[in-house]
Amino acid sequence: QNQNQNQNQNQRAYATQEAAASVVCGGVAGSAFWLAVLPIDLAKTRYQIASPGAADDVGVWRLMARETSRTGARGLWVGVGPVLARAFPANAVQFLAWEGACQLAGVRREHGR
C-alpha cells in the first residue's frame, strides 16, 4: 500500500509538472507570436479603418514604413502591454486545454522528440 501511495504521489507530481509546462509554454508562445506580428497587425488595423483615398489607405507595408519614420521602431509596438496581458493567459489556457483533451482522448506523446 505504501508503494501505491508513492506511485500516486509521483503521478500527481508529474501531472502538475506537465500542466505547469503547458501553461508556461502556451503563454510564452502566444507572447512571442504577438511580439512578432504586432507591427503588421497595427498597420493592418489602420488600413482597415482608413477611408478610401485617406492617408492611411496605402497598404500595410507603406503604413509600417511611415510609422517607423514618424515614431521610430517603438511606434510599431504601441499597445504591446495590453496585447501581452491578454495573449499570455489566453494561450496558456489554450495549451493546457489541448493537453487535457489529448490526455482524455488517450493520445500518448513521445517525450524528447
Side-chain angles (χ1 to χ4, degrees), residues 20-94:
S22 292
V23 166
V24 171
C25 290
V28 170
S31 298
F33 169 80
W34 278 105
L35 283 172
V37 301
L38 191 60
I40 298 167
D41 187 66
L42 173 79
K44 181 246 341 162
T45 301
R46 289 191 180 165
Y47 177 74
Q48 286 177 329
I49 64 173
S51 300
D56 285 347
D57 187 22
V58 293
V60 171
W61 300 113
R62 190 168 291 164
L63 280 167
M64 287 175 60
R66 185 172 5 145
E67 188 65 28
T68 301
S69 67
R70 192 171 24 172
T71 62
R74 291 183 74 175
L76 295 175
W77 281 273
V78 169
V80 71
V83 167
L84 294 180
R86 177 192 55 84
F88 192 96
N91 288 279
V93 169
Q94 184 179 15

